[in-house]
Amino acid sequence: MNISLVQGLPALRAGSPAAARTALVLHGGGGPRTVAPLVGHLAATMHAFAPTHPGWEGTTRPDSIASVPQLAAAYLARLREIGGRDVVLIGSSIGGWVALEMAVQAAADDRCAGVIGAVVVIDGVGAAVDGEPVADFFALDARGLAEAAWHHPERGYLDPARLTDEQRAIQQANGRTIAAVAGRSMSDPTLLGRLDTVDVPALVVWGESDRIVTPAYGRAVARAIPGARFVEVPEAGHLPHLEAPDATWAAKEPFLAKL
């Protein structure tokens, strides 16, 4: 897997550019390393790339990107610039929110006709669902985050004492970027009501043990998208592609094969 640039940002890239389909993989708050297995897995059949969102991992965030809708608009503009067609959006956590926002914006913009081909949301935040609030990410310490995000918390626990000063600085900067772009609630009260405009095939994948956003939350998101399919991954939390990759691929591949 090579490191290359997408609009001046570092990106993970895999698969042949000559592949029939392109996948834009959108990472969540944990940064691009959390979606690296997705990029690698997709490489067998697609050209997959995962840019680092501006402001993450020490990159610069321009003042023009201060919200998820603005980030989504920037990615859509970039896809138009490079002539993207029938692109599959695959988003994890905040990346799932970005993917849904891109699909909504594309459906309302004739310039984007044919750019987006499908959407896969993996435990995406962003919606406001009655009775199913997004967990207060900013109130969680490292242990609490592992317990909320993982079926097996010990697998996800990262001891802060083992971080280098550089790693700690990047982690803190990522947190500030999350607050600036996604807001402390990591939700948009208008998103759920706008999802009925999504006009491409959609798959919503959810870890059964996710306590950042519960499976009930995920089902509500799926119901709001016309024709969307919902699949729950057993023994997995907020990042099922890391915790239960085989089951996640099994959920995803039949959907992609039918596109």
Side-chain angles (χ1 to χ4, degrees), residues 140-155:
L140 297 172
D141 60 13
R143 179 66 67 182
L145 180 59
E147 291 176 351
W150 289 73
H151 179 78
H152 299 287
E154 286 304 320
R155 291 184 58 188

mmCIF file with all atom_site columns, all heavy atoms in Angstrom, residues 140-155:
data_model
loop_
_atom_site.group_PDB
_atom_site.id
_atom_site.type_symbol
_atom_site.label_atom_id
_atom_site.label_alt_id
_atom_site.label_comp_id
_atom_site.label_asym_id
_atom_site.label_entity_id
_atom_site.label_seq_id
_atom_site.pdbx_PDB_ins_code
_atom_site.Cartn_x
_atom_site.Cartn_y
_atom_site.Cartn_z
_atom_site.occupancy
_atom_site.B_iso_or_equiv
_atom_site.pdbx_formal_charge
_atom_site.auth_seq_id
_atom_site.auth_comp_id
_atom_site.auth_asym_id
_atom_site.auth_atom_id
_atom_site.pdbx_PDB_model_num
ATOM 1   N N   . LEU A 1 140 ? -15.119 10.828  27.543 1.00 0.00 ? 140 LEU A N   1
ATOM 2   C CA  . LEU A 1 140 ? -14.575 9.490   27.774 1.00 0.00 ? 140 LEU A CA  1
ATOM 3   C C   . LEU A 1 140 ? -13.056 9.531   27.890 1.00 0.00 ? 140 LEU A C   1
ATOM 4   O O   . LEU A 1 140 ? -12.374 10.157  27.068 1.00 0.00 ? 140 LEU A O   1
ATOM 5   C CB  . LEU A 1 140 ? -14.964 8.552   26.619 1.00 0.00 ? 140 LEU A CB  1
ATOM 6   C CG  . LEU A 1 140 ? -16.463 8.291   26.427 1.00 0.00 ? 140 LEU A CG  1
ATOM 7   C CD1 . LEU A 1 140 ? -16.702 7.510   25.139 1.00 0.00 ? 140 LEU A CD1 1
ATOM 8   C CD2 . LEU A 1 140 ? -17.028 7.529   27.620 1.00 0.00 ? 140 LEU A CD2 1
ATOM 9   N N   . ASP A 1 141 ? -12.527 8.844   28.898 1.00 0.00 ? 141 ASP A N   1
ATOM 10  C CA  . ASP A 1 141 ? -11.086 8.657   28.936 1.00 0.00 ? 141 ASP A CA  1
ATOM 11  C C   . ASP A 1 141 ? -10.734 7.436   28.086 1.00 0.00 ? 141 ASP A C   1
ATOM 12  O O   . ASP A 1 141 ? -11.610 6.834   27.455 1.00 0.00 ? 141 ASP A O   1
ATOM 13  C CB  . ASP A 1 141 ? -10.588 8.500   30.374 1.00 0.00 ? 141 ASP A CB  1
ATOM 14  C CG  . ASP A 1 141 ? -11.203 7.306   31.103 1.00 0.00 ? 141 ASP A CG  1
ATOM 15  O OD1 . ASP A 1 141 ? -11.819 6.437   30.454 1.00 0.00 ? 141 ASP A OD1 1
ATOM 16  O OD2 . ASP A 1 141 ? -11.041 7.233   32.344 1.00 0.00 ? 141 ASP A OD2 1
ATOM 17  N N   . ALA A 1 142 ? -9.467  7.078   28.039 1.00 0.00 ? 142 ALA A N   1
ATOM 18  C CA  . ALA A 1 142 ? -9.029  5.992   27.164 1.00 0.00 ? 142 ALA A CA  1
ATOM 19  C C   . ALA A 1 142 ? -9.727  4.681   27.501 1.00 0.00 ? 142 ALA A C   1
ATOM 20  O O   . ALA A 1 142 ? -10.140 3.931   26.601 1.00 0.00 ? 142 ALA A O   1
ATOM 21  C CB  . ALA A 1 142 ? -7.514  5.826   27.254 1.00 0.00 ? 142 ALA A CB  1
ATOM 22  N N   . ARG A 1 143 ? -9.898  4.395   28.800 1.00 0.00 ? 143 ARG A N   1
ATOM 23  C CA  . ARG A 1 143 ? -10.565 3.168   29.200 1.00 0.00 ? 143 ARG A CA  1
ATOM 24  C C   . ARG A 1 143 ? -12.048 3.213   28.824 1.00 0.00 ? 143 ARG A C   1
ATOM 25  O O   . ARG A 1 143 ? -12.601 2.247   28.291 1.00 0.00 ? 143 ARG A O   1
ATOM 26  C CB  . ARG A 1 143 ? -10.411 2.960   30.709 1.00 0.00 ? 143 ARG A CB  1
ATOM 27  C CG  . ARG A 1 143 ? -11.106 1.715   31.252 1.00 0.00 ? 143 ARG A CG  1
ATOM 28  C CD  . ARG A 1 143 ? -10.499 0.442   30.736 1.00 0.00 ? 143 ARG A CD  1
ATOM 29  N NE  . ARG A 1 143 ? -9.143  0.247   31.227 1.00 0.00 ? 143 ARG A NE  1
ATOM 30  C CZ  . ARG A 1 143 ? -8.372  -0.788  30.889 1.00 0.00 ? 143 ARG A CZ  1
ATOM 31  N NH1 . ARG A 1 143 ? -8.827  -1.698  30.039 1.00 0.00 ? 143 ARG A NH1 1
ATOM 32  N NH2 . ARG A 1 143 ? -7.143  -0.907  31.381 1.00 0.00 ? 143 ARG A NH2 1
ATOM 33  N N   . GLY A 1 144 ? -12.695 4.342   29.080 1.00 0.00 ? 144 GLY A N   1
ATOM 34  C CA  . GLY A 1 144 ? -14.101 4.479   28.747 1.00 0.00 ? 144 GLY A CA  1
ATOM 35  C C   . GLY A 1 144 ? -14.357 4.394   27.259 1.00 0.00 ? 144 GLY A C   1
ATOM 36  O O   . GLY A 1 144 ? -15.365 3.820   26.816 1.00 0.00 ? 144 GLY A O   1
ATOM 37  N N   . LEU A 1 145 ? -13.448 4.939   26.467 1.00 0.00 ? 145 LEU A N   1
ATOM 38  C CA  . LEU A 1 145 ? -13.595 4.866   25.015 1.00 0.00 ? 145 LEU A CA  1
ATOM 39  C C   . LEU A 1 145 ? -13.492 3.427   24.540 1.00 0.00 ? 145 LEU A C   1
ATOM 40  O O   . LEU A 1 145 ? -14.276 2.983   23.687 1.00 0.00 ? 145 LEU A O   1
ATOM 41  C CB  . LEU A 1 145 ? -12.522 5.727   24.342 1.00 0.00 ? 145 LEU A CB  1
ATOM 42  C CG  . LEU A 1 145 ? -12.548 5.752   22.811 1.00 0.00 ? 145 LEU A CG  1
ATOM 43  C CD1 . LEU A 1 145 ? -13.880 6.271   22.293 1.00 0.00 ? 145 LEU A CD1 1
ATOM 44  C CD2 . LEU A 1 145 ? -11.384 6.587   22.278 1.00 0.00 ? 145 LEU A CD2 1
ATOM 45  N N   . ALA A 1 146 ? -12.543 2.681   25.071 1.00 0.00 ? 146 ALA A N   1
ATOM 46  C CA  . ALA A 1 146 ? -12.399 1.275   24.686 1.00 0.00 ? 146 ALA A CA  1
ATOM 47  C C   . ALA A 1 146 ? -13.650 0.483   25.045 1.00 0.00 ? 146 ALA A C   1
ATOM 48  O O   . ALA A 1 146 ? -14.109 -0.365  24.273 1.00 0.00 ? 146 ALA A O   1
ATOM 49  C CB  . ALA A 1 146 ? -11.171 0.672   25.350 1.00 0.00 ? 146 ALA A CB  1
ATOM 50  N N   . GLU A 1 147 ? -14.217 0.758   26.204 1.00 0.00 ? 147 GLU A N   1
ATOM 51  C CA  . GLU A 1 147 ? -15.403 0.022   26.636 1.00 0.00 ? 147 GLU A CA  1
ATOM 52  C C   . GLU A 1 147 ? -16.627 0.382   25.802 1.00 0.00 ? 147 GLU A C   1
ATOM 53  O O   . GLU A 1 147 ? -17.498 -0.465  25.561 1.00 0.00 ? 147 GLU A O   1
ATOM 54  C CB  . GLU A 1 147 ? -15.669 0.294   28.117 1.00 0.00 ? 147 GLU A CB  1
ATOM 55  C CG  . GLU A 1 147 ? -14.604 -0.337  29.020 1.00 0.00 ? 147 GLU A CG  1
ATOM 56  C CD  . GLU A 1 147 ? -14.798 0.010   30.483 1.00 0.00 ? 147 GLU A CD  1
ATOM 57  O OE1 . GLU A 1 147 ? -15.657 0.871   30.773 1.00 0.00 ? 147 GLU A OE1 1
ATOM 58  O OE2 . GLU A 1 147 ? -14.073 -0.571  31.321 1.00 0.00 ? 147 GLU A OE2 1
ATOM 59  N N   . ALA A 1 148 ? -16.698 1.614   25.321 1.00 0.00 ? 148 ALA A N   1
ATOM 60  C CA  . ALA A 1 148 ? -17.840 2.029   24.501 1.00 0.00 ? 148 ALA A CA  1
ATOM 61  C C   . ALA A 1 148 ? -17.700 1.593   23.050 1.00 0.00 ? 148 ALA A C   1
ATOM 62  O O   . ALA A 1 148 ? -18.699 1.334   22.375 1.00 0.00 ? 148 ALA A O   1
ATOM 63  C CB  . ALA A 1 148 ? -18.003 3.547   24.570 1.00 0.00 ? 148 ALA A CB  1
ATOM 64  N N   . ALA A 1 149 ? -16.471 1.477   22.583 1.00 0.00 ? 149 ALA A N   1
ATOM 65  C CA  . ALA A 1 149 ? -16.256 1.289   21.152 1.00 0.00 ? 149 ALA A CA  1
ATOM 66  C C   . ALA A 1 149 ? -15.919 -0.140  20.751 1.00 0.00 ? 149 ALA A C   1
ATOM 67  O O   . ALA A 1 149 ? -15.983 -0.462  19.558 1.00 0.00 ? 149 ALA A O   1
ATOM 68  C CB  . ALA A 1 149 ? -15.136 2.218   20.668 1.00 0.00 ? 149 ALA A CB  1
ATOM 69  N N   . TRP A 1 150 ? -15.583 -1.004  21.712 1.00 0.00 ? 150 TRP A N   1
ATOM 70  C CA  . TRP A 1 150 ? -15.118 -2.347  21.357 1.00 0.00 ? 150 TRP A CA  1
ATOM 71  C C   . TRP A 1 150 ? -15.948 -3.421  22.056 1.00 0.00 ? 150 TRP A C   1
ATOM 72  O O   . TRP A 1 150 ? -16.325 -3.263  23.221 1.00 0.00 ? 150 TRP A O   1
ATOM 73  C CB  . TRP A 1 150 ? -13.641 -2.520  21.743 1.00 0.00 ? 150 TRP A CB  1
ATOM 74  C CG  . TRP A 1 150 ? -12.726 -1.733  20.862 1.00 0.00 ? 150 TRP A CG  1
ATOM 75  C CD1 . TRP A 1 150 ? -12.544 -0.386  20.869 1.00 0.00 ? 150 TRP A CD1 1
ATOM 76  C CD2 . TRP A 1 150 ? -11.877 -2.251  19.835 1.00 0.00 ? 150 TRP A CD2 1
ATOM 77  N NE1 . TRP A 1 150 ? -11.631 -0.020  19.906 1.00 0.00 ? 150 TRP A NE1 1
ATOM 78  C CE2 . TRP A 1 150 ? -11.207 -1.148  19.261 1.00 0.00 ? 150 TRP A CE2 1
ATOM 79  C CE3 . TRP A 1 150 ? -11.605 -3.535  19.361 1.00 0.00 ? 150 TRP A CE3 1
ATOM 80  C CZ2 . TRP A 1 150 ? -10.293 -1.294  18.213 1.00 0.00 ? 150 TRP A CZ2 1
ATOM 81  C CZ3 . TRP A 1 150 ? -10.689 -3.682  18.318 1.00 0.00 ? 150 TRP A CZ3 1
ATOM 82  C CH2 . TRP A 1 150 ? -10.047 -2.577  17.756 1.00 0.00 ? 150 TRP A CH2 1
ATOM 83  N N   . HIS A 1 151 ? -16.200 -4.507  21.358 1.00 0.00 ? 151 HIS A N   1
ATOM 84  C CA  . HIS A 1 151 ? -16.824 -5.678  21.966 1.00 0.00 ? 151 HIS A CA  1
ATOM 85  C C   . HIS A 1 151 ? -15.878 -6.287  22.995 1.00 0.00 ? 151 HIS A C   1
ATOM 86  O O   . HIS A 1 151 ? -16.306 -6.709  24.070 1.00 0.00 ? 151 HIS A O   1
ATOM 87  C CB  . HIS A 1 151 ? -17.164 -6.706  20.880 1.00 0.00 ? 151 HIS A CB  1
ATOM 88  C CG  . HIS A 1 151 ? -17.784 -7.966  21.397 1.00 0.00 ? 151 HIS A CG  1
ATOM 89  N ND1 . HIS A 1 151 ? -19.110 -8.039  21.760 1.00 0.00 ? 151 HIS A ND1 1
ATOM 90  C CD2 . HIS A 1 151 ? -17.254 -9.200  21.629 1.00 0.00 ? 151 HIS A CD2 1
ATOM 91  C CE1 . HIS A 1 151 ? -19.388 -9.266  22.174 1.00 0.00 ? 151 HIS A CE1 1
ATOM 92  N NE2 . HIS A 1 151 ? -18.276 -9.985  22.111 1.00 0.00 ? 151 HIS A NE2 1
ATOM 93  N N   . HIS A 1 152 ? -14.593 -6.328  22.646 1.00 0.00 ? 152 HIS A N   1
ATOM 94  C CA  . HIS A 1 152 ? -13.546 -6.777  23.572 1.00 0.00 ? 152 HIS A CA  1
ATOM 95  C C   . HIS A 1 152 ? -12.698 -5.547  23.922 1.00 0.00 ? 152 HIS A C   1
ATOM 96  O O   . HIS A 1 152 ? -11.729 -5.234  23.209 1.00 0.00 ? 152 HIS A O   1
ATOM 97  C CB  . HIS A 1 152 ? -12.672 -7.851  22.925 1.00 0.00 ? 152 HIS A CB  1
ATOM 98  C CG  . HIS A 1 152 ? -13.410 -9.093  22.538 1.00 0.00 ? 152 HIS A CG  1
ATOM 99  N ND1 . HIS A 1 152 ? -13.866 -10.009 23.453 1.00 0.00 ? 152 HIS A ND1 1
ATOM 100 C CD2 . HIS A 1 152 ? -13.778 -9.566  21.313 1.00 0.00 ? 152 HIS A CD2 1
ATOM 101 C CE1 . HIS A 1 152 ? -14.483 -11.000 22.832 1.00 0.00 ? 152 HIS A CE1 1
ATOM 102 N NE2 . HIS A 1 152 ? -14.441 -10.764 21.544 1.00 0.00 ? 152 HIS A NE2 1
ATOM 103 N N   . PRO A 1 153 ? -13.038 -4.823  24.986 1.00 0.00 ? 153 PRO A N   1
ATOM 104 C CA  . PRO A 1 153 ? -12.370 -3.552  25.279 1.00 0.00 ? 153 PRO A CA  1
ATOM 105 C C   . PRO A 1 153 ? -10.860 -3.628  25.379 1.00 0.00 ? 153 PRO A C   1
ATOM 106 O O   . PRO A 1 153 ? -10.165 -2.676  25.002 1.00 0.00 ? 153 PRO A O   1
ATOM 107 C CB  . PRO A 1 153 ? -12.999 -3.127  26.614 1.00 0.00 ? 153 PRO A CB  1
ATOM 108 C CG  . PRO A 1 153 ? -14.344 -3.763  26.606 1.00 0.00 ? 153 PRO A CG  1
ATOM 109 C CD  . PRO A 1 153 ? -14.141 -5.090  25.928 1.00 0.00 ? 153 PRO A CD  1
ATOM 110 N N   . GLU A 1 154 ? -10.320 -4.754  25.852 1.00 0.00 ? 154 GLU A N   1
ATOM 111 C CA  . GLU A 1 154 ? -8.862  -4.838  25.992 1.00 0.00 ? 154 GLU A CA  1
ATOM 112 C C   . GLU A 1 154 ? -8.161  -4.746  24.643 1.00 0.00 ? 154 GLU A C   1
ATOM 113 O O   . GLU A 1 154 ? -7.004  -4.322  24.568 1.00 0.00 ? 154 GLU A O   1
ATOM 114 C CB  . GLU A 1 154 ? -8.481  -6.134  26.699 1.00 0.00 ? 154 GLU A CB  1
ATOM 115 C CG  . GLU A 1 154 ? -8.789  -6.133  28.198 1.00 0.00 ? 154 GLU A CG  1
ATOM 116 C CD  . GLU A 1 154 ? -8.134  -4.966  28.914 1.00 0.00 ? 154 GLU A CD  1
ATOM 117 O OE1 . GLU A 1 154 ? -6.968  -4.636  28.586 1.00 0.00 ? 154 GLU A OE1 1
ATOM 118 O OE2 . GLU A 1 154 ? -8.772  -4.376  29.795 1.00 0.00 ? 154 GLU A OE2 1
ATOM 119 N N   . ARG A 1 155 ? -8.834  -5.157  23.590 1.00 0.00 ? 155 ARG A N   1
ATOM 120 C CA  . ARG A 1 155 ? -8.231  -5.059  22.256 1.00 0.00 ? 155 ARG A CA  1
ATOM 121 C C   . ARG A 1 155 ? -8.128  -3.609  21.778 1.00 0.00 ? 155 ARG A C   1
ATOM 122 O O   . ARG A 1 155 ? -7.252  -3.269  20.982 1.00 0.00 ? 155 ARG A O   1
ATOM 123 C CB  . ARG A 1 155 ? -9.042  -5.869  21.240 1.00 0.00 ? 155 ARG A CB  1
ATOM 124 C CG  . ARG A 1 155 ? -8.973  -7.364  21.437 1.00 0.00 ? 155 ARG A CG  1
ATOM 125 C CD  . ARG A 1 155 ? -9.728  -8.095  20.339 1.00 0.00 ? 155 ARG A CD  1
ATOM 126 N NE  . ARG A 1 155 ? -9.215  -7.766  19.011 1.00 0.00 ? 155 ARG A NE  1
ATOM 127 C CZ  . ARG A 1 155 ? -9.786  -8.141  17.873 1.00 0.00 ? 155 ARG A CZ  1
ATOM 128 N NH1 . ARG A 1 155 ? -10.909 -8.850  17.898 1.00 0.00 ? 155 ARG A NH1 1
ATOM 129 N NH2 . ARG A 1 155 ? -9.265  -7.814  16.712 1.00 0.00 ? 155 ARG A NH2 1
#
